């Protein structure tokens, strides 16, 4: 799949506050992906890369500026390969090598694709596809219950890996994700609503309670 398709979906998600519309857009994208692409896209649209930290800072991104391409041509797997390469560049001359590799990639990217890649690398991707929303989309795309997927992601500590297993092998693949020694377990996943009206629309009748910030209270006490 072309990176452009992911960028377009990201823009659609950012352009609406309706959770159901976001979920449907993500689910539609997930259904079109090949197995290797699933991990990449789930990572990207959750705001990080499959490789984790690539060692790319603002200065490298700034100095790798290139004129945008006029047509989309970059495949997702190509982007992933470049990110994997960037993550391994270390030692003397590494900054220049990273700039060169990134500039080469950006020179083939359209303006929208360049913006997406820069935001992804600098941790500023804010299209609203947070992990809780991604789990909703996985449930819709696979037909597997949200609770089943949520539990597997919690046990695995890696939603992208769970997504690939699920869409590649089906629900039975989730049985492999159980509590294991030395395997970090994610906290129960929650997804904030865009606003109170959206939360009430999705939940129905609800009860609210005041929540006081413990740190603020302690600072207040120490000042008495």
């Amino acid at each position: 799949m072309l990176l452009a398709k992911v960028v377009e979906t990201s823009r659609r998600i950012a352009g609406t506050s309706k959770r159901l519309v976001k979920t449907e857009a993500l689910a539609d994208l997930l259904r079109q992906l090949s197995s290797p692409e699933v991990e990449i896209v789930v990572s990207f649209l959750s705001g990080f890369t499959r490789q984790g930290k690539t060692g790319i800072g603002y200065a490298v991104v700034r100095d790798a500026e290139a004129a945008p391409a006029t047509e989309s041509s970059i495949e997702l797997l190509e982007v992933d390969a470049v990110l994997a390469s960037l993550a391994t560049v270390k030692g003397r001359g590494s900054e220049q090598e990273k700039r060169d590799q990134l500039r080469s990639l950006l020179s083939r990217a359209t303006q929208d694709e360049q913006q997406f890649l820069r935001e992804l690398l600098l941790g500023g991707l804010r299209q609203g596809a947070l992990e809780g929303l991604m789990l909703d989309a996985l449930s819709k795309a696979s037909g597997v219950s949200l609770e089943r997927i949520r539990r597997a992601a919690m046990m695995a500590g890696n939603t992208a890996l769970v997504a690939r297993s699920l869409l590649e092998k089906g629900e039975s693949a989730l049985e492999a994700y159980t509590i294991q020694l030395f395997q970090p377990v994610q906290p129960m996943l929650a997804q904030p609503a865009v606003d109170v009206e959206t939360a009430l629309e999705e939940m129905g009748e609800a009860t609210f309670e005041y929540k006081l910030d413990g740190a603020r209270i302690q600072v207040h006490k120490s000042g008495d």
Side-chain angles (χ1 to χ4, degrees):
M1 175 180 285
L2 290 175
L3 172 64
K5 179 67 175 178
V6 179
V7 173
E8 175 58 28
T9 300
S10 178
R11 291 183 62 187
R12 287 175 58 198
I13 293 168
T16 180
S17 63
K18 296 184 180 298
R19 186 181 178 88
L20 292 179
V21 176
K22 292 176 186 282
T23 301
E24 184 55 54
L26 278 174
D28 182 59
L29 179 65
L30 290 171
R31 294 185 190 104
Q32 300 176 54
L33 299 172
S34 67
S35 184
E37 292 171 337
V38 172
E39 249 185 289
I40 301 170
V41 169
V42 172
S43 298
F44 282 7
L45 295 186
S46 295
F48 53 90
T49 68
R50 189 177 64 83
Q51 294 78 17
K53 294 183 178 180
T54 57
I56 299 294
Y58 172 78
V60 172
V61 173
R62 178 197 62 203
D63 295 340
E65 184 176 352
T70 57
E71 295 184 4
S72 300
S73 64
I74 305 176
E75 296 282 342
L76 275 173
L77 294 178
E78 292 181 82
V79 178
D80 187 64
V82 172
L83 294 177
S85 177
L86 288 171
T88 64
V89 176
K90 302 183 186 303
R92 188 174 182 178
S94 61
E95 292 297 298
Q96 184 61 50
E97 175 63 23
K98 288 176 181 178
R99 278 192 291 271
D100 291 344
Q101 288 194 34
L102 184 56
R103 185 182 295 112
S104 177
L105 176 65
L106 292 176
S107 69
R108 298 177 52 214
T110 64
Q111 185 172 345
D112 287 343
E113 291 166 346
Q114 285 187 353
Q115 181 178 349
F116 179 90
L117 290 170
R118 291 190 185 103
E119 292 177 348
L120 177 67
L121 290 169
L122 296 177
L125 193 60
R126 295 290 182 269
Q127 76 293 313
L130 301 177
E131 196 165 15
L133 184 62
M134 183 62 73
L135 295 179
D136 287 347
L138 282 169
S139 177
K140 190 171 187 65
S142 66
V144 176
S145 74
L146 176 59
E147 288 307 312
R148 185 76 180 86
I149 298 172
R150 189 191 299 270
R151 179 173 176 78
M154 182 177 68
M155 295 300 179
N158 186 326
T159 300
L161 182 61
V162 169
R164 177 172 181 171
S165 297
L166 174 62
L167 296 179
E168 184 179 73
K169 302 175 183 176
E171 184 174 4
S172 61
L174 301 183
E175 296 173 5
Y177 300 109
T178 59
I179 293 179
Q180 299 181 36
L181 287 174
F182 310 114
Q183 169 64 52
V185 175
Q186 288 184 335
M188 291 300 290
L189 298 170
Q191 173 66 33
V194 175
D195 50 41
V196 174
E197 289 74 17
T198 302
L200 290 174
E201 180 182 343
E202 295 183 6
M203 295 177 61
E205 187 175 351
T207 301
F208 293 85
E209 64 178 14
Y210 288 105
K211 182 180 185 301
L212 300 178
D213 188 312
R216 293 176 187 273
I217 294 172
Q218 188 175 16
V219 171
H220 178 70
K221 278 185 168 183
S222 64
D224 287 344

